[in-house]
């Protein structure tokens, strides 16, 4: 547990994958609020309880939980906090997406499987991905009731007024919280200090997630912010500089993809293996593949590449 900004405490929660940890932020006002809440493993729960104890609190003291997006390392323990009396809040359409992803059967997983197969991912890799997905689901507690918040609305979190800002890209309805009084942005996975958040294209999702994401980076860069509290890594101050660096990274990746296609049409998986030669897990394979597809879609919507109706789907530079 460490002070992250005035009235904000960071509780780092361990993750059993390469990312290693995710930050929950405790917001202390007249009550206790939490933003994002880790994957529900025994280590995660232990770290959470220890972090609350350092604040002189316990699980039942958490009144409100805001979840920035549906990923398992952010929503995992929300149901556990809810069962001790907390109210769980999310951006309205992201709440719907979370239910579809985790609580309403396996439809999403089956859709993802068919989509990745059509886009060149080998079957054994897909099986590994499906297994990793099931494993993640085991660590996401069911949330019974989610308070749905609209874009731009003000959330009262532990007595603090925080504005929800929709930042699509990393997920379709990812949202950050803006504390205008303290000039703090609780950023979820939107702007991270050392890594770039995964931007992936999925069949059920919005049409152009990379276009969305670049727009969302420009949107938050205009805010008056002196401190960003990211979900992974240390809090940092230079929001605009970091947003620009992340955007530049994607522009360079678009160049790399155009270059990969210069030698002739390729499927997205072949392009992904070229851009990301070292992938250490099924999660990383899927992220790389979906990331390349998001970049291809971005180029397709700007008339720079086209897809061919082959099996698997191949992509070609526009003549
Ligand atoms: Zn995420
Ligand atoms: Zn995350």
């Amino acid at each position: 547990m460490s002070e992250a900004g005035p009235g904000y405490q960071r509780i780092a929660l361990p993750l059993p994958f390469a990312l290693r940890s995710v930050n929950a932020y405790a917001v202390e006002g007249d009550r206790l609020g939490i933003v994002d809440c880790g994957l529900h493993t025994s280590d995660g729960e232990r770290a959470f309880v220890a972090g609350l104890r350092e604040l002189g609190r316990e699980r039942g003291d958490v009144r409100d939980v805001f979840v920035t997006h549906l990923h398992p390392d952010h929503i995992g323990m929300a149901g556990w906090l809810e069962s001790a009396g907390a109210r769980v809040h999310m951006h309205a359409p992201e709440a719907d997406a979370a239910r579809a992803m985790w609580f309403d059967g396996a439809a999403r997983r089956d859709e993802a499987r068919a989509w990745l197969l059509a886009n060149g991912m080998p079957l054994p890799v897909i099986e590994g991905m499906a297994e990793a997905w099931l494993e993640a689901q085991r660590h996401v507690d069911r949330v019974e009731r989610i308070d749905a918040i609209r874009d731009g609305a003000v959330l009262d979190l532990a007595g603090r007024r925080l504005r929800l800002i929709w930042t699509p890209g990393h997920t379709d309805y990812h949202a950050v919280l803006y504390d205008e009084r303290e000039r703090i942005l609780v950023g979820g996975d939107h702007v991270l200090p050392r890594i770039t958040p995964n931007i992936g294209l999925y069949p059920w999702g919005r049409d152009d997630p990379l276009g969305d994401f670049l727009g969302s980076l420009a949107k938050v860069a205009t805010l008056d912010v002196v401190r960003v509290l990211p979900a992974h890594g240390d809090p940092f101050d230079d929001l605009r500089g970091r947003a620009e660096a992340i955007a530049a990274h994607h522009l360079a990746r678009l160049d790399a993809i155009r270059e990969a296609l210069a030698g002739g049409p390729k499927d997205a998986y072949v392009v992904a293996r070229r851009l990301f030669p070292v992938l250490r897990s099924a999660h990383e394979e899927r992220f790389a593949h979906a990331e390349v597809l998001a970049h291809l879609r971005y180029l397709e919507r700007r008339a720079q590449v086209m897809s061919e109706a082959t099996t698997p789907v191949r992509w070609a530079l526009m003549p």
Side-chain angles (χ1 to χ4, degrees):
M1 205 260 321
S2 59
E3 174 98 29
Y8 291 84
Q9 306 289 337
R10 169 188 175 190
I11 303 174
L13 302 169
L15 294 175
F17 33 80
L19 217 41
R20 290 213 313 277
S21 82
V22 60
N23 301 320
Y25 289 99
V27 184
E28 293 201 276
D30 53 359
R31 302 181 300 276
L32 185 64
I34 295 285
V35 182
D36 286 338
C37 51
L39 196 65
H40 199 169
T41 60
S42 52
D43 285 351
E45 183 181 320
R46 203 172 305 125
F48 210 137
V49 169
L52 290 174
R53 194 176 301 133
E54 280 186 60
L55 292 172
R57 307 278 200 162
E58 55 186 37
R59 171 161 73 120
D61 293 331
V62 178
R63 182 70 65 88
D64 299 287
V65 178
F66 179 77
V67 177
T68 57
H69 65 297
L70 58 78
H71 285 160
D73 47 329
H74 297 257
I75 196 173
M77 282 189 265
W80 174 73
L81 292 168
E82 182 189 38
S83 66
R87 272 165 65 97
V88 177
H89 312 266
M90 285 180 84
H91 183 209
E94 189 75 359
D96 295 338
R99 286 191 200 93
M101 178 76 76
W102 303 118
F103 309 140
D104 294 345
R108 281 284 190 265
R109 197 178 61 238
D110 296 343
E111 254 181 285
R113 188 196 287 261
W115 161 252
L116 295 171
L117 189 63
N119 281 287
M121 186 181 261
L123 207 48
V125 179
I126 291 180
E127 296 306 334
M129 186 245 4
E131 182 46 47
W133 191 316
L134 273 176
E135 177 58 21
Q137 194 164 28
R138 282 193 270 277
H139 302 293
V140 174
D141 297 322
R142 188 176 186 88
V143 184
E144 293 302 330
R145 201 181 160 281
I146 303 176
D147 173 44
I149 309 174
R150 282 176 299 105
D151 180 25
V154 171
L155 170 68
D156 177 344
L157 197 74
R160 271 177 196 250
R161 292 172 57 74
L162 304 174
R163 184 181 311 283
L164 182 148
I165 300 173
W166 177 31
T167 47
H170 177 60
T171 62
D172 284 348
Y173 300 98
H174 184 289
V176 298
L177 294 179
Y178 180 42
D179 181 336
E180 201 162 358
R181 205 185 59 155
E182 302 288 354
R183 298 193 287 162
I184 285 177
L185 190 74
V186 190
D189 281 357
H190 182 46
V191 188
L192 298 172
R194 287 195 317 274
I195 55 171
T196 59
N198 178 239
I199 307 301
L201 182 69
Y202 292 96
W204 56 79
R206 284 170 57 82
D207 182 68
D208 177 16
L210 180 58
D212 282 346
F213 182 61
L214 295 175
S216 299
L217 285 175
K219 177 153 88 173
V220 297
T222 65
L223 296 172
D224 180 15
V225 165
V226 295
R227 181 134 266 232
V228 181
L229 310 185
H232 305 280
D234 296 329
F236 61 98
D237 300 337
D238 183 12
L239 171 60
R240 190 165 308 170
R242 186 58 193 146
E244 282 170 5
I246 292 172
H249 159 90
H250 285 288
L251 298 183
R253 182 161 286 165
L254 289 167
D255 284 342
I257 286 176
R258 275 188 292 251
E259 210 170 288
L261 296 180
K266 292 177 183 62
D267 70 56
Y269 190 73
V270 169
V271 176
R273 294 304 323 199
R274 182 173 291 206
L275 262 64
F276 305 94
V278 182
L279 295 169
R280 289 158 297 186
S281 68
H283 277 304
E284 289 185 12
E285 292 254 13
R286 174 164 62 89
F287 288 158
H289 196 194
E291 177 109 7
V292 164
L293 283 163
H295 285 71
L296 288 166
R297 171 57 61 79
Y298 181 92
L299 293 170
E300 182 185 25
R301 290 292 176 255
R302 284 150 190 85
Q304 296 185 35
V305 305
M306 53 191 270
S307 61
E308 297 177 345
T310 48
T311 310
V313 175
R314 291 193 313 176
W315 297 80
L317 290 175
M318 290 283 264

